Amino acid sequence: MHFLNYIWLIPVLPVLGAAIQLLLGRRLSNKAVSAVSVGLPGLSFLWALGCFFQLLSLPAQANHTFTKVLYSWLPAGAFHLADGSLAHLNVYVGFQLDPLSSVMMLVVTGVGFLIHVYSIGYMGHEGGYYRFFGYLNLFMFSMLVLVLADNYLMMFVGWEGVGLSSYFLIGFYFHRKSASDAGKKAFVVNRIGDAAFLLGMMLMAVTFGTLDFLPITEAARGGRFAVGDGVITAICILLFIGAAGKSAQIPLYVWLPDAMEGPTPVSALIHAATMVTAGVYMVARSNALYVLAPTALALVGAIGAATAIWAASIGLVQNDIKRVLAYSTVSQLGYMFLACGVGAFGAGIFHLMTHAFFKALLFLGAGSVIHALSGEQDLRKMGALWRKIPTTAWTMLAATLAISGAPLLSGFFSKDEILWQAFASPYGNKLLWSVGVVTAGLTAFYMFRLFFLTFAGNSRVPHEVEQHIHESPSSMTVPLICLGLGAVGAGYVGWPKVLGGSNWFGRFLDPVFENPALRPALQHTWNLEFGLMLLSVGVALVGFFGAYRWYAKQPGIAERVAAAAGAGYTLLLNKYYIDELYDALFVNRAKDLGSALAAFDLGVVDGGVNGVGWSTRMSAELSRLWDTWVIDGLVNVLAFVVKVLSYPARVLQTGLLQSYAWFITLGVFIFMVYYLIYF
Amino acid sequence: MITLQTADLVRILPEIVLSIFGILVMVLEPFVAAAQKKLLGWMALLGVLAAATATVRTSFEPGLAFGGTIAADEFSIYFIYLFLLTAGLVILGSIDYLERNHAQHGEFYALVLLGTVGMCFMAASTDLIMIFLGLEISSISTYILAGFRRADRLSNEAALKYFLLGSFATAFFLYGIAFVYGLTGTTNLLGLSARLMEPSQWTTFARVALVLMFVGLAFKLSTVPFQVWTPDVYQGAPAPVTAFLSVGPKAAAFAVLLRLFLGGFASAGTVSFWILWISAALTMCLGNLAALWQTNVKRLLAYSSIAHAGYILVGVAAGGSRGISAVLFYLVAYALMNVGAFIMVAHLSGTGERLVQIEDYTGLAFERPGVAACLAVFFLSLAGFPTTAGFLGKFYVFRAAIHSHLIGLTVLALLNSVVSVYYYLRIVVAMYMREGKTEAATVELPWPVRTALAVSVLGIFYLGLAPKLPLGLSTLAALPLPK
């Protein structure tokens, strides 16, 4: 069978499911709904696999690129380009499968299918089962159109489609006001980015005379444009604003944490594994343009790095299990943009792929925990779940290790590739690199904090909930295990040369990103790269031990700690004091500023570690305040301004004929005066 | 001395056919039994179809008619089809609406047909006097239609307001014509452009004339600050009439605007450019901002249609064949989605149009998934969602604007379309994200209405997904206008 020729089936199969659910779903049983809506994405995953293997077997000179044009969507209109030459803008409905889109396609269909399976168990007791699957199928369709499109306009179609379905899914629990508010916030913030994307696209159309990926890439690499070309830079910056909206980067990241109001499988699929990475994909897809715009690249890198550390610091103090993961996602997306910003697009996509596995797993695991605890999301009301839900715990451990960069797990390979590129690439620098390393430490800390608070220590679960704790059904645990295997092993495709591998993944993507300007400035010295690798592992270990000291060794298990060492006792004492400070900071920030300073003194006396911990917490608190007061404040101010601006318009609408006539006369008068005086 | 030739008559064949059917419906009305009045609606629809066929004949004989006062060219034929499409959909959507609201009278259909005649003349005229006649024919029909729910206070109020302010605005237009005639000695558009060749000829009086005529048209376009009547009239008029009002006269006024500003007044250059620029900017902003706070769906759609006039004006300001064809394409998209939305609103509102608040649509998607999906398509298209006609319409208008270096206006339009999503989504939210038993869910949709809705939805997707043919036609239709 020739899979590639029918590549359009991959997005079409899920949309069939969506149509069936949304029009007939009410009359179907839950079983039938699951069969249709999980089966069709499953089929589309199988088809994607077929396409992938046929792509690999294409002759090498084709650069592993396959395009299939279905029909002409917007026909040619001849027009003059900005430089005066004549062009025909012709947009096709066409699909392009190359190494880059095939990675995205497999991630979307593969992880997507697993999350569909998981949802059978997770959403089984919820109302609106068919609606949920209808929207989820609609999302799969849009996302697949986004990644398989062969031109920017079709990509934009998918881009808007994922926005719409994400909006429906965030607001799925619509009886909670916060949920529908979050949906609206997400949609509106995204539209700001979309407007910039659209503008960038128009600028591309007038500059290149086409919106297709291949000709634009060709033109950009053809030497027609100088490096630093103003128009190209403008296009790149506009596209990046679009990407920042979709992929939750500073300053448009505010919608993502709120989006956690949606059901957990949605958080896993849309707000961790796939949709939010669309911006990274778009920037990587436009790599030929970005290479011509060093200013835009620097902006991408700087915003990426800033977002990574910013979000990670906020993640340190969140108590809602899903919010920790949400900030972690924002931070990891920052890593991917950091990679793109230093010209290491391949490394960014590599991290995108591994992240899809471990972050989807973390969310689904969190969902399984929430499911076991009858809906509880507060980390302070968990603990000691290790033996009660072992499958969830083991898979979560794998994912936590992977995201923290534990050696030989998937996250380790991709994160180190990014850090090495930030250090060695001609676009990288030591500052970006060091921000990346510090973030790695913070990541290990907050992830293990989450893990220990959930699974280790004493149980803080209320008694009545504790009696109902149960491991999730197999429809939920099997996807966890599959993703766990991915979280452990997905990195092996990119085993780096420094560890004796061949970085197959990097070479596979090379045809898409090939560019002499991107060769590392530094020689690939084994010692240096290996040394940096050890350093980042060391930093992650520091984060891990920090979390271990503060969250695993609690007063509840004091016997063991006291027995271990006397020094452990002192540590416990400090821990106790930090907790007090922590509470004070949250309960009454202004009043306790003095005692906070005192605690800082104590912390310094007690060996620096606590001091560092405190200041990180303080800065995290500050960024949270920034969020609450400045960002939300700005949104409110904006809403107010809009309201005020529309006030005269509404006041003029008196309903009185005479005043209307006066208004018209006034308009005539103004136009007249304007024309008689100024022209 | 002008002698009447067969070719002259062929070139106004669609108008003749529509008039005959209009008069027939009116004359037969007393002889049709009360229970059979529906037949008159079908007869009117037959008239629309006959006129569409007649237009084919006209298109074989392009040229000027009646001493150069009427032009049967690609431009006018494009508009005639647009008006016939609108009239056809409105008639299909009205038959059962009138039945339910006990207003099944033959005049309704006759007035729709005659109003359409007026619009066709507006688009086809190349003479200011003929344009004025067309304007008056269409206006008077629509004034009466706006008050067709005679027992309803709001409907009466709408008709009266529309009539009084409409005549007020028409006076400006007529005044402008007088000025133009006084300055140039002609009312013919071709003659005008020959006499006003140089920008230096744009003296004070010429500018006054231009502003006065723009005001007359701006009233029909409902651009700021001449939009004040729109919300009240759209809300008060029967919903199918609002569908007709919001599309027909507006498109006809755009046709005149294009012929006048890019044709007869082409040499006005920057003078006419800035008037368009300012109006477009103000209209988009006010329409969208005011729509944000509406709770009545008809009123919301009224403000939305003001905003859309602003987007279309961006295309007019862009000018050139690209701008014109973008405007023409946009108008078809706009006709489909706006007529569709209003017809749906007309039928969901129940007897006496009671259910027109957003909360009346609460939970509609749970009871009537098909109906809700249909309405969602209209609103998403109005919001400019990709794969729909509304998106491509905006895309082409904005592209034309960027080509003409109207970057500021394009950015403003894009920001406006961001804001607009918010209020269109409010209705989608009500339908899909809130539960509730709504009376609107019990409304029957008879097959003529379903046909009209299906045509609109399919048209929206057709224009959005495979716009090759319509785009080609709009490019062709832009040819007769000077570049």
Side-chain angles (χ1 to χ4, degrees):
Chain A
M1 203 184 307
H2 204 284
F3 291 101
L4 281 174
N5 266 341
Y6 298 94
I7 189 170
W8 48 268
L9 274 175
I10 297 174
V12 165
L13 287 170
V15 86
L16 275 180
I20 293 172
Q21 299 314 343
L22 295 179
L23 291 176
L24 309 171
R26 229 155 71 94
R27 303 198 182 90
L28 298 179
S29 68
N30 274 10
K31 273 217 170 86
V33 168
S34 333
V36 169
S37 278
V38 178
L40 287 171
L43 271 182
S44 122
F45 173 55
L46 291 178
W47 204 272
L49 275 179
C51 285
F52 177 69
F53 286 111
Q54 282 185 349
L55 184 78
L56 285 185
S57 63
L58 281 184
Q61 65 267 27
N63 268 345
H64 291 304
T65 301
F66 171 85
T67 47
K68 171 85 187 169
V69 172
L70 288 190
Y71 70 96
S72 165
W73 179 21
L74 310 184
F79 64 92
H80 290 280
L81 292 185
D83 64 4
S85 59
L86 194 70
H88 297 267
L89 180 67
N90 200 344
V91 181
Y92 296 95
V93 170
F95 296 101
Q96 174 175 339
L97 197 66
D98 62 1
L100 176 58
S101 51
S102 63
V103 170
M104 295 300 292
M105 168 185 81
L106 288 179
V107 166
V108 173
T109 52
V111 175
F113 171 64
L114 288 175
I115 293 173
H116 275 75
V117 173
Y118 177 94
S119 306
I120 299 176
Y122 191 84
M123 299 302 289
H125 315 301
E126 307 271 349
Y129 191 73
Y130 70 97
R131 260 188 329 122
F132 178 81
F133 276 103
Y135 295 149
L136 214 55
N137 283 180
L138 186 67
F139 168 78
M140 289 291 278
F141 162 73
S142 313
M143 191 67 204
L144 286 164
V145 168
L146 195 162
V147 300
L148 289 175
D150 78 337
N151 61 70
Y152 282 97
L153 198 64
M154 238 184 98
M155 187 189 201
F156 187 71
V157 170
W159 189 270
E160 292 284 279
V162 291
L164 184 71
S165 27
S166 131
Y167 163 72
F168 280 133
L169 284 164
I170 295 172
F172 186 75
Y173 297 128
F174 47 74
H175 42 83
R176 287 208 303 250
K177 187 176 181 302
S178 54
S180 49
D181 281 355
K184 231 180 272 178
K185 184 173 180 183
F187 202 85
V188 173
V189 171
N190 262 297
R191 286 291 292 199
I192 298 172
D194 296 349
F197 185 1
L198 201 57
L199 211 55
M201 208 154 63
M202 307 251 174
L203 210 51
M204 253 191 287
V206 256
T207 313
F208 295 101
T210 175
L211 289 173
D212 294 349
F213 295 145
L214 287 178
I216 288 183
T217 308
E218 226 164 82
R221 288 185 184 155
R224 220 178 92 204
F225 300 93
V227 173
D229 186 274
V231 177
I232 303 284
T233 309
I235 292 175
C236 288
I237 289 178
L238 286 170
L239 290 185
F240 178 61
I241 297 175
K246 191 73 57 205
S247 294
Q249 296 296 291
I250 290 172
L252 300 177
Y253 70 94
V254 284
W255 64 271
L256 187 58
D258 286 9
M260 296 302 129
E261 291 285 348
T264 306
V266 170
S267 311
L269 178 60
I270 301 185
H271 306 118
T274 56
M275 183 188 84
V276 288
T277 62
V280 181
Y281 169 73
M282 189 245 266
V283 170
R285 179 52 83 195
S286 319
N287 67 83
L289 297 177
Y290 277 93
V291 172
L292 290 176
T295 323
L297 266 187
L299 180 74
V300 174
I303 295 278
T307 309
I309 195 163
W310 182 263
S313 70
I314 298 175
L316 296 176
V317 295
Q318 297 297 315
N319 285 318
D320 182 312
I321 186 167
K322 285 180 72 183
R323 280 196 174 244
V324 176
L325 292 176
Y327 281 110
S328 156
T329 305
V330 175
S331 167
Q332 298 295 313
L333 289 166
Y335 263 120
M336 297 173 208
F337 279 109
L338 168 62
C340 293
V342 299
F345 301 100
I349 296 298
F350 187 27
H351 196 57
L352 187 161
M353 194 258 294
T354 58
H355 175 257
F357 285 104
F358 57 69
K359 187 51 68 63
L361 174 52
L362 283 170
F363 268 110
L364 294 189
S368 179
V369 169
I370 295 167
H371 194 74
L373 294 179
S374 322
E376 184 57 70
Q377 303 198 9
D378 193 333
L379 285 171
R380 289 168 299 190
K381 293 182 184 159
M382 296 180 184
L385 294 174
W386 177 260
R387 288 185 198 290
K388 291 177 183 131
I389 44 174
T391 317
T392 307
W394 276 106
T395 49
M396 281 283 268
L397 179 63
T400 306
L401 284 168
I403 192 177
S404 306
L408 306 187
L409 269 68
S410 63
F412 165 76
F413 294 111
S414 55
K415 193 179 286 180
D416 265 304
E417 178 76 13
I418 292 177
L419 291 178
W420 165 247
Q421 294 281 358
F423 189 86
S425 147
Y427 296 102
N429 58 50
K430 307 283 178 297
L431 179 67
L432 291 180
W433 172 78
S434 39
V435 169
V437 171
V438 172
T439 306
L442 296 180
T443 308
F445 178 83
Y446 68 67
M447 281 315 303
F448 275 100
R449 170 178 173 268
L450 180 147
F451 185 80
F452 289 136
L453 282 177
T454 312
F455 294 106
N458 285 341
S459 174
R460 299 176 300 280
V461 182
H463 186 63
E464 62 274 21
V465 177
E466 188 139 27
Q467 288 170 330
H468 303 300
I469 295 180
H470 55 281
E471 182 60 284
S472 302
S474 58
S475 70
M476 285 165 74
T477 50
V478 171
L480 288 181
I481 294 168
C482 294
L483 286 170
L485 294 176
V488 172
Y492 297 147
V493 294
W495 195 290
K497 291 204 178 74
V498 67
L499 295 180
S502 64
N503 194 3
W504 178 85
F505 192 80
R507 281 188 299 116
F508 175 60
L509 286 176
D510 260 351
V512 185
F513 300 128
E514 196 164 40
N515 201 306
L518 296 177
R519 299 268 149 74
L522 285 174
Q523 278 302 313
H524 224 275
T525 53
W526 190 89
N527 281 337
L528 182 62
E529 192 176 350
F530 196 73
L532 292 177
M533 197 177 263
L534 281 182
L535 182 69
S536 70
V537 171
V539 169
L541 270 178
V542 171
F544 164 75
F545 278 112
Y548 180 69
R549 277 188 176 171
W550 287 339
Y551 299 104
K553 296 190 171 183
Q554 281 183 331
I557 48 164
E559 305 90 4
R560 215 176 83 196
V561 177
Y569 184 71
T570 327
L571 209 71
L572 252 179
L573 198 67
N574 284 337
K575 175 78 177 75
Y576 178 71
Y577 202 83
I578 289 278
D579 270 347
E580 288 288 293
L581 174 69
Y582 189 97
D583 280 348
L585 271 174
F586 281 102
V587 175
N588 196 338
R589 293 169 212 101
K591 188 181 137 200
D592 287 346
L593 196 66
S595 68
L597 286 171
F600 180 67
D601 280 350
L602 260 175
V604 171
V605 172
D606 277 336
V609 176
N610 296 337
V612 172
W614 180 85
S615 58
T616 357
R617 281 177 178 174
M618 191 66 194
S619 67
E621 179 59 16
L622 278 178
S623 22
R624 204 187 59 79
L625 282 177
W626 165 270
D627 254 23
T628 319
W629 293 100
V630 181
I631 305 276
D632 287 0
L634 270 179
V635 171
N636 291 338
V637 165
L638 207 65
F640 179 74
V641 167
V642 167
K643 205 169 185 171
V644 166
L645 280 178
S646 68
Y647 182 71
R650 284 176 294 145
V651 160
L652 284 170
Q653 214 65 51
T654 52
L656 289 180
L657 198 62
Q658 296 88 325
S659 66
Y660 288 1
W662 270 111
F663 198 63
I664 289 177
T665 318
L666 190 71
V668 176
F669 182 72
I670 291 170
F671 271 124
M672 286 285 186
V673 167
Y674 182 76
Y675 274 98
L676 297 183
I677 293 179
Y678 290 99
F679 281 97
Chain B
M1 184 63 211
I2 302 166
T3 51
L4 188 65
Q5 287 168 340
T6 329
D8 285 344
L9 292 176
V10 169
R11 282 167 194 153
I12 60 161
L13 201 54
E15 288 92 336
I16 295 177
V17 172
L18 281 175
S19 307
I20 291 175
F21 272 89
I23 293 165
L24 263 181
V25 169
M26 198 87 96
V27 168
L28 288 179
E29 142 83 14
F31 305 104
V32 178
Q36 303 294 316
K37 299 264 178 186
K38 266 189 176 187
L39 285 175
L40 295 169
W42 294 113
M43 194 170 159
L45 195 67
L46 189 70
V48 170
L49 292 175
T53 321
T55 316
V56 178
R57 174 73 184 86
T58 307
S59 65
F60 289 136
E61 206 146 338
L64 294 174
F66 296 99
T69 54
I70 301 275
D73 52 15
E74 292 90 339
F75 185 79
S76 53
I77 286 170
Y78 185 90
F79 269 101
I80 289 173
Y81 274 119
L82 173 62
F83 298 138
L84 292 177
L85 173 73
T86 312
L89 290 177
V90 167
I91 291 172
L92 269 178
S94 302
I95 298 175
D96 295 286
Y97 172 90
L98 294 176
E99 195 78 21
R100 181 148 23 86
N101 286 291
H102 315 293
Q104 189 69 275
H105 306 292
E107 307 93 274
F108 184 92
Y109 307 107
L111 288 169
V112 169
L113 293 181
L114 294 175
T116 311
V117 171
M119 294 165 203
C120 292
F121 272 129
M122 281 169 82
S125 303
T126 50
D127 191 282
L128 291 176
I129 299 297
M130 266 316 293
I131 290 176
F132 181 73
L133 279 180
L135 184 69
E136 281 300 274
I137 297 173
S138 74
S139 297
I140 292 170
S141 321
T142 44
Y143 296 153
I144 306 171
L145 282 174
F148 213 77
R149 287 191 298 140
R150 277 170 236 173
D152 187 272
R153 196 181 56 79
L154 276 179
S155 185
N156 280 312
E157 188 187 324
L160 198 62
K161 272 184 186 164
Y162 190 32
F163 168 62
L164 288 174
L165 292 172
S167 4
F168 191 50
T170 316
F172 283 108
F173 191 72
L174 201 55
Y175 201 23
I177 294 179
F179 266 105
V180 170
Y181 186 70
L183 279 166
T184 62
T186 180
T187 52
N188 191 289
L189 292 184
L190 289 174
L192 262 182
S193 57
R195 297 219 166 86
L196 287 169
M197 292 275 275
E198 296 298 320
S200 61
Q201 285 166 308
W202 283 94
T203 55
T204 311
F205 281 114
R207 286 178 196 162
V208 169
L210 186 121
V211 170
L212 287 172
M213 295 185 70
F214 179 77
V215 170
L217 292 175
F219 178 82
K220 291 282 167 197
L221 299 174
S222 43
T223 66
V224 177
F226 311 106
Q227 90 302 348
V228 268
W229 58 278
T230 317
D232 294 0
V233 173
Y234 283 16
Q235 187 184 353
V241 173
T242 313
F244 191 58
L245 276 184
S246 68
V247 176
K250 200 174 265 199
F254 268 112
V256 174
L257 190 72
L258 288 172
R259 276 213 199 263
L260 203 60
F261 275 61
L262 303 178
F265 289 165
S267 62
T270 48
V271 181
S272 57
F273 171 75
W274 282 108
I275 208 171
L276 294 173
W277 200 102
I278 296 168
S279 299
L282 287 177
T283 308
M284 287 187 292
C285 294
L286 185 128
N288 282 316
L289 289 179
L292 288 176
W293 310 99
Q294 302 306 324
T295 52
N296 180 302
V297 180
K298 280 172 85 182
R299 217 173 162 80
L300 185 146
L301 279 170
Y303 280 110
S304 134
S305 81
I306 294 176
H308 280 273
Y311 300 136
I312 303 176
L313 267 184
V314 173
V316 181
S321 58
R322 197 175 300 108
I324 299 170
S325 65
V327 168
L328 297 184
F329 183 84
Y330 201 115
L331 283 171
V332 177
Y334 173 75
L336 288 171
M337 54 206 190
N338 232 34
V339 172
F342 271 117
I343 289 182
M344 189 60 113
V345 169
H347 286 270
L348 290 181
S349 64
T351 312
E353 296 204 357
R354 284 169 299 111
L355 310 167
V356 284
Q357 299 296 318
I358 292 182
E359 57 259 37
D360 292 327
Y361 292 180
T362 305
L364 192 63
F366 304 96
E367 303 288 323
R368 303 285 292 268
V371 171
C374 202
L375 200 53
V377 167
F378 296 139
F379 280 104
L380 289 177
S381 180
L382 283 166
F385 211 75
T387 71
T388 62
F391 170 71
L392 280 193
K394 281 205 180 90
F395 182 79
Y396 279 107
V397 165
F398 296 167
R399 204 189 76 188
I402 288 208
H403 266 285
S404 306
H405 304 288
L406 302 181
I407 307 292
L409 202 55
T410 314
V411 171
L412 195 65
L414 275 171
L415 289 179
N416 263 294
S417 63
V418 171
V419 172
S420 74
V421 172
Y422 182 82
Y423 61 82
Y424 292 125
L425 272 182
R426 278 175 58 205
I427 298 171
V428 179
V429 170
M431 293 191 301
Y432 282 88
M433 294 199 181
R434 273 189 235 132
E435 257 168 318
K437 277 271 178 241
T438 165
E439 206 189 324
T442 60
V443 173
E444 281 291 307
L445 289 183
W447 71 266
V449 183
R450 283 170 194 255
T451 314
L453 294 172
V455 169
S456 309
V457 168
L458 292 178
I460 285 170
F461 282 121
Y462 173 61
L463 290 189
L465 291 172
K468 198 168 192 162
L469 182 67
L471 265 180
L473 292 177
S474 69
T475 315
L476 199 66
L479 286 179
L481 293 193
K483 299 301 160 300

